[in-house]
Amino acid sequence: MTSIELASVSRWYGNVVAVNDITMSIGPGVTGLLGPNGAGKTTLLHMMAGFLEPSRGELTVAGQVAWRNPGIFRKVGLVPERDSVYAFLTGTDFVTSSAKLHGLADPKAAAQRAIGIVEMADAQDRRIATYSKGMRQRIKVAAALVHDPEVLLLDEPFSGMDPRQRLHMMDLLHAEGQQGRVILFSSHILEEVERLSGTIQVIVGGRLAASGDFRAIRRLMTSRPHVFVIRSSDDRALGSALIGRPAVSGVELTGSGLQVRASDYGTFTREIAALTRDHGIRLKELLPEDESLESVFSYLLAS
Amino acid sequence: MPALVNGVVLRLTFRATIGRRRALLFALPAVIMIALSAVLTATAHSPVWRAEFLGDFGFSVVLPLTSLIIGVSVLGAEIDDSSILHLLATPVSRVSVVLSKYLVAVGLTFVFAAIPEYLAASIASGFSSKLAYGLLAGAAVGCVTYNAFFVMLSIVTRRAVPVGLLYLLVWEGLLANLVPGVRFLSAGQYSVGVANSIIHNSALNAHLTLGTALGLAIVATVGLLLVSSWRLSAFSIKGDLA
């Protein structure tokens, strides 16, 4: 079975540690590499593609060491985040050149098959310079799929795509994963990973913060207290009403309003409107304070 | 055994290099040299200027500058804009990538520097003159060695153009003329040495014999291409930092 194996892999630049002692195994299907910007996802992907040498540890892709081994690209397809295209080529020429570089017996047929998979047939004869960001991403995916690789690595594949293009790319990756390929994509957007991938690897600060089934990790995320900042017509009265609710674990009166820690996110957000109405309080503002991905990841790391 | 030269890499490199805005600069030094040669031919009273001007300006300015612009373009520009990943994310050997790109650089420099050198010398002393053939042969050797160096430079540093200019000014322009030992490691001296073996003109200021110049040019070129291939096989993309 094809897989990507990392054993105690670290990568540092001078004194800065980008990836810190990561051990993971990624098998067939779609796996999301999730983490905030600067977490080390791209560094990991580049090491898997043989474009960075691990400072420590062992890394193999489809059973082969990736570093200084262009031969791995017989089994691996790479879709970098960078715009790694020759913009003067047409889509067909770009994918066909990739097929020829892989030494395929019938490069034109392979290119047409790959272009068909990404549904770019209508635009294949246009120069890439005229493509939108989403179209460029898809033609890069076609070039990476042209040799039917066992492993497909994608760095932020949804970056710059509109919602329709995102859905199409998700369907495409899902279908490729169903065929038994190892599909690993990086993203810093939780919802993208949630929709596409059952298995995730969460990277925070260069370390593996969580690994495994998405739903289990999501439950862990939602069990943490959520912090809201509330402004109302009577903050003190609202505070005393809120502290009696089971969904609320703490209330603090601040200079600008109330800071509320909700232990049950769903119940709190359902109850707050009815509670203010019952007490004759007008709600002016309700803001979640720690909904950023970074805070979610930080919580995961701390838990 | 994998092919040493890859046709797809050759074609892509040629189109990418010619298609860049920088390509407009390729012909500029040559045009200036041919124009000056025509003006001097029409106005000068003595033929002494020929070897002096075409040797100095041609081999110290036109040839190295054109080689620098082209040599760092064929690979360095693709590293800068990341299009090199399209080639490197394939099983094509790094030796093959380097050699293919190097051949494009040599070919383009021959067209934009060596042939203009021949044309400028032909305007001055005739198409079948020893001067024209000698300068063409010397420039051809220069295309081969300078480009091997500049292709290597574009792999080892992202500041290949300023470093290359510094090399031309200090190493080739200054040290190769002042320090005897440096002449053995000077692409400019290899070119002049070969040219002088045909022209036999002291104005060329050649310090190496034909055998020494050719032998050292071959050794330097092979060595530089090996270093380039080795360095490209360890090509790294800097990732995001934690």
Side-chain angles (χ1 to χ4, degrees):
Chain A
M1 187 179 73
T2 306
S3 66
I4 302 170
E5 304 289 340
L6 283 79
S8 303
V9 169
S10 298
R11 168 74 204 194
W12 51 80
Y13 302 95
N15 292 327
V16 180
V17 179
V19 168
N20 191 357
D21 196 26
I22 287 184
T23 297
M24 64 166 78
S25 177
I26 298 163
V30 181
T31 300
L33 194 59
L34 184 64
N37 286 323
K41 307 184 297 295
T42 299
T43 301
L44 260 181
L45 277 172
H46 287 165
M47 283 195 285
M48 291 172 187
F51 287 125
L52 269 180
E53 183 181 21
S55 304
R56 185 181 292 167
E58 287 181 14
L59 191 158
T60 58
V61 179
Q64 297 182 52
V65 172
W67 177 242
R68 280 189 189 273
N69 181 13
I72 63 159
F73 287 108
R74 293 185 208 289
K75 294 181 176 178
V76 175
L78 173 68
V79 182
E81 186 185 11
R82 297 169 194 220
D83 215 5
S84 57
V85 293
Y86 290 99
F88 56 83
L89 293 178
T90 64
T92 307
D93 289 343
F94 182 69
V95 182
T96 306
S97 71
S98 185
K100 287 178 179 171
L101 289 166
H102 279 94
L104 302 185
D106 189 349
K108 286 186 179 172
Q112 285 308 310
R113 183 190 62 82
I115 288 169
I117 290 173
V118 300
E119 296 183 9
M120 282 288 288
D122 290 344
Q124 64 177 325
D125 294 324
R126 276 169 45 195
R127 287 172 64 233
I128 295 175
T130 67
Y131 284 5
S132 67
K133 172 82 177 171
M135 292 165 86
R136 284 179 182 228
Q137 284 291 86
R138 278 194 280 165
I139 210 70
K140 276 158 58 182
V141 172
L145 281 174
V146 75
H147 59 300
D148 204 15
E150 295 171 22
V151 177
L152 185 62
L153 305 172
L154 306 100
D155 193 4
E156 300 280 356
F158 307 107
S159 163
M161 286 188 168
D162 63 36
R164 192 182 58 81
Q165 290 170 333
R166 279 176 195 226
L167 281 176
H168 177 258
M169 182 65 83
M170 283 178 186
D171 289 344
L172 168 66
L173 296 183
H174 186 70
E176 294 299 317
Q178 292 281 69
Q179 289 177 22
R181 293 187 212 278
V182 178
I183 310 273
L184 179 68
F185 73 99
S186 70
S187 176
H188 63 280
I189 301 175
L190 205 58
E191 282 66 31
E192 287 176 352
V193 182
E194 186 175 9
R195 288 183 73 113
L196 182 57
S197 166
T199 309
I200 64 171
Q201 308 284 345
V202 183
I203 309 292
V204 183
R207 292 171 60 194
L208 186 63
S211 174
D213 181 71
F214 179 82
R215 285 165 292 278
I217 296 170
R218 190 74 166 110
R219 275 196 296 278
L220 183 62
M221 289 176 176
T222 52
S223 68
R224 85 195 200 284
H226 294 257
V227 179
F228 293 88
V229 173
I230 300 175
R231 283 198 314 115
S232 68
S233 57
D234 189 343
D235 291 338
R236 190 170 290 275
L238 180 59
S240 65
L242 281 171
I243 197 66
R245 308 304 304 173
V248 174
S249 59
V251 177
E252 187 181 339
L253 197 59
T254 66
S256 57
L258 284 175
Q259 190 183 64
V260 180
R261 285 193 301 282
S263 53
D264 184 337
Y265 181 93
T267 305
F268 172 76
T269 50
R270 277 194 303 275
E271 285 184 352
I272 184 71
L275 191 74
T276 50
R277 189 185 59 230
D278 293 348
H279 286 77
I281 299 169
R282 193 160 55 84
L283 202 56
K284 293 178 180 174
E285 192 173 65
L286 173 68
L287 290 174
E289 197 174 56
D290 63 346
E291 281 302 288
S292 69
L293 269 178
E294 280 74 7
S295 74
V296 174
F297 292 134
S298 301
Y299 177 75
L300 266 177
L301 194 62
S303 63
Chain B
M1 186 183 152
L4 285 178
V5 176
N6 185 294
V8 180
V9 179
L10 275 177
R11 282 191 292 277
L12 286 175
T13 303
F14 179 77
R15 287 187 63 183
T17 308
I18 286 293
R20 287 197 174 87
R21 207 172 296 168
R22 197 185 285 183
L24 293 172
L25 291 173
F26 295 172
L28 190 63
V31 168
I32 293 170
M33 178 176 64
I34 291 171
L36 283 175
S37 181
V39 170
L40 286 169
T41 304
T43 58
H45 299 297
S46 154
V48 177
W49 66 271
R50 293 172 183 166
E52 214 164 78
F53 168 74
L54 293 170
D56 270 358
F57 187 68
F59 281 16
S60 303
V61 180
V62 177
L63 178 63
L65 270 187
T66 310
S67 300
L68 171 65
I69 299 166
I70 294 173
V72 302
S73 288
V74 290
L75 194 50
E78 292 186 16
I79 291 172
D80 288 344
D81 69 15
S82 296
S83 54
I84 190 70
L85 288 178
H86 180 62
L87 303 180
L88 297 186
T90 67
V92 176
S93 79
R94 297 337 183 204
V95 174
S96 181
V97 172
V98 165
L99 278 183
S100 306
K101 288 184 167 291
Y102 167 71
L103 284 180
V104 172
V106 170
L108 286 174
T109 311
F110 190 80
V111 169
F112 287 104
I115 288 179
E117 184 83 33
Y118 172 74
L119 289 176
S122 298
I123 290 169
S125 59
F127 283 93
S128 302
S129 63
K130 273 189 172 181
L131 181 73
Y133 286 131
L135 291 177
L136 179 66
V141 171
C143 294
V144 170
T145 44
Y146 273 125
N147 275 300
F149 181 75
F150 291 130
V151 166
M152 187 271 296
L153 204 59
S154 70
I155 298 172
V156 300
T157 174
R158 296 287 168 97
R159 297 180 183 85
V161 173
V163 173
L165 281 173
L166 204 65
Y167 155 77
L168 290 178
L169 281 172
V170 177
W171 188 266
E172 294 289 346
L174 201 65
L175 297 178
N177 288 313
L178 296 177
V179 183
V182 174
R183 291 165 190 162
F184 294 100
L185 293 171
S186 159
Q189 279 300 317
Y190 304 155
S191 304
V192 174
V194 170
N196 191 53
S197 71
I198 297 170
I199 302 166
H200 301 295
N201 190 321
S202 60
L204 284 173
N205 201 23
H207 300 285
L208 301 177
T209 62
L210 174 67
T212 310
L214 269 182
L216 288 174
I218 291 168
V219 170
T221 301
V222 171
L224 288 165
L225 291 175
L226 285 174
V227 172
S228 299
S229 303
W230 174 250
R231 288 300 299 254
L232 193 66
S233 72
F235 176 77
S236 295
I237 312 172
K238 200 174 180 185
D240 52 351
L241 295 177

